[in-house]
Amino acid sequence: MGERVGLEVSIAAAEAVKMANVDVIAAYPITPQTHIVEHLAEVVADGELDAEFIPVESEHSAMSVCCGSSAVGARTFTCTSSQGLALMNEIVFITASMRLPVVMVLANRSLSGPLSIWNDHSDVMSIRDCGWIQVFVENGQEVFDHIMFAFRVAESQKVSLPLIVNVDGFILTHVIEPVEFWDAETVKNYLPPFKPVNRLHPDNPVTMGAFGMPGIYTETRKAQDSALIEAKPEILKAWQEMADLTGRHYKPVESYHAEGAETLFLTMGSIGETVSVAVDELRAEGKSVGQLSLRLWRPFPFEEFRQAAAGAKRIIVLDRAVSMGGQGGPVATEIRSVLYKEKNMPVVTNFLCGLAGRDVTVEDYKAMFEKASKMSKRRVREEDYILYGVRE
Amino acid sequence: MEQLNVYASRLISKKEYFAPGHRACQGCAEALAVRNVAKALGSNVVVASATGCMEIISSPLPFTNWRVPWIHVAFENAAAVISGAEAGTKALVRKGMLPDLKTVFLGMGGDGATSDIGLQALSGAFERGHNFVYVCYDNEAYMNTGIQRSSATPFGASTTTSPAGKMKHGQFTWKKNMAEIAVAHNVPYVATACSSYPFDLIEKVQKAASMEGPAYVHILSICPTGWRIPPDRAIWIGRLAVETGVFPLYEVVHGKYQMTLEFPERRPVEEYLKAQGRFRHLTPDMIQRIQRRVDIEYKRLKSKEIFEEIW
Ligand SMILES: Cc1ncc(C[n+]2csc(CCOP(=O)(O)OP(=O)(O)O)c2C)c(N)n1
Ligand code: SF4
Ligand SMILES: [Mg+2]
């Protein structure tokens, strides 16, 4: 293994991209993603990385350039946040349907309006159904590891799908953390060179992006959905091999004191570590509580999730985005349907919290636990969706 | 048209890279332009196409008319996609992962894809200096979606979103000059062409491909369906567009303007307008306005010829 250094997580992310020896980087600056692109521009300018750094005029073009470069078989990276993701939205969906293994770091930030540069998950939830593999990480080490993982999984010929690594803006991108780098040998063992299934090349002309009439569109969608679902074995394999190489074990659903716990928190991303502290303190008070963290968001790990949640009486889902006019948070809505008709289905209580960077402390999570404990255990009700801490 | 002579047609390759059997309307001179552009560039090419008639007629899954590598992503991003393909290939060649074939990278789109919704992406790709050719097939409206106006629709033309009615007389703005916008980016090569002049078109596309850096070719592509003319009149109408000066043929090489086809006397614009259903409603007064405008623009263009190469 490489050395362990303390550095800003954005820089660690860029360094991982450098070590993955990408061929093309196309990105447009937006807070809080900027340090990642800036550092990549630097390493290219210094000749530390031999790549084309393409300073596009918009995120829409960033993703379009990525489609072009990935289609010729170049290892391709981009990163963005919030409005940038919204602007590239159209192409994000197409990238997946064309099976182009672009890797994106999404420095999660709230969507306007009002304009806000701070962290929540409203950006990624807006593209939930885009067909990319989507993972969430909690700390700097996980960011570094998952960039290697991202290229490895996305470019695998069995997968050939784009992949998003969700990294909470500021809360994670801008903090300094200890990160154990991989040495070149480990990278080489883990990440083979990119060999695309097809590439745009005069020696073997292919047509990419043909249009679908009603007689064939449904079949293309089925094929794409199957491809995403069938990516899971490769995802698990990539984590297993990473564990063999680095000693760090990652799972689709991480659990913390979950076994036998009556109540489970469900987290995604960087709030997970704070919630773990709350779990420790609650357990010290004798409460039967544990935690699940969803690392793999797409393809959704149904089996692993149901298994991890089995036996719990209540699940407190912490959502970082509002599903306007709907049932609260997008994650809770989904979790309820995942658990529907399970034997002894747990009550799913939904707190929306930490919107646009609003601080949520250990005390807050403990308060949520208390509040949830007093709520009906019988069935899901509308009031089980609570915008935590809102001033009315 | 330096090499144009009676034998020109024999010099042109018989090979087709844009295969027959596509689904364009009868007499579509935009498809003809695509065919000749493909002919001009041969097999060592990668093409990125924008959404529009040419994409739709040539790529219904699971079929394709493209015998060269071809990609379509969306409506407004052909220039960005091709710049990614160019950059990706450049990186792979530099890193020794692919041999250097000196492949030509071609981006293409309609007038809507180029001068409206895709203008920003094209401007960005020009400005970044990618080594690519961009061809705009200008049929002066959004034909694929049913003949709606674009910024390239000429003044007075009736379209489905600039209809000639009791109060309004069709398109109320003057045609956006896309070739001049390309020139303003200081790209090494800009040319106008028309599918009615195939040898000139082929020569210009090849010249564009031979340039280091971005090159732009703006091709007037007559659309019988949208222009409301009989399918067998497309070539003739294209010739009238050039002979009247409505669409002059010229090139700009490193900033130097050069007319490529001129006539001792230009024909009256009225002949061109009267031949098309989309201008049927024009009053003599409007025709006069158009004639005046064409005269002024033609004079202006001619006056630029005196400038020497600027870089
Ligand atoms: C973002 C987006 N907006 C609108 C459309 C609908 N659309 C598809 S093709 C087209 C017009 C194409 O016009 P042009 O570029 O001039 O090409 P033509 O069909 O005339 O050759 C439009 C409006 C689309 N596909 N994508
Ligand atoms: S509508 Fe016009 S441009 Fe489109 S295929 Fe028909 S003739 Fe060609
Ligand atoms: Mg058009």
Side-chain angles (χ1 to χ4, degrees), chain B residues 229-246:
Chain B
I229 56 167
D232 61 355
R233 300 309 267 167
I235 302 301
W236 177 68
I237 292 282
R239 288 193 167 257
L240 270 182
V242 175
E243 289 171 17
T244 53
V246 166

Side-chain angles (χ1 to χ4, degrees), chain A residues 90, chain B residues 30 51-53 75-76 110-113 117 139 141-145:
Chain A
E90 181 196 25
Chain B
E30 189 172 4
T51 311
C53 271
F75 184 19
E76 62 292 76
D111 48 297
I117 200 164
N139 54 16
Y142 303 150
M143 296 308 176
N144 185 45
T145 37

Side-chain angles (χ1 to χ4, degrees), chain B residues 10 21 49 55 61-62 70 75 84 95-96 110-111 144 165 172 188 247 254 261 266-268 289:
Chain B
R10 298 202 189 158
S49 197
E55 167 259 332
L61 252 179
W70 181 89
F75 184 19
K95 291 165 115 170
D111 48 297
N144 185 45
F172 48 90
F247 190 83
H254 294 297
L261 184 57
R266 278 181 286 122
R267 297 169 80 152
R289 271 183 78 188

Side-chain angles (χ1 to χ4, degrees), chain A residues 319-333:
Chain A
D319 255 297
R320 311 286 314 281
V322 186
S323 170
M324 297 285 174
Q327 289 181 315
V331 182
T333 309

Side-chain angles (χ1 to χ4, degrees), chain A residues 309-323:
Chain A
K313 297 212 168 77
R314 179 187 296 283
I315 299 184
I316 301 175
V317 177
L318 302 174
D319 255 297
R320 311 286 314 281
V322 186
S323 170

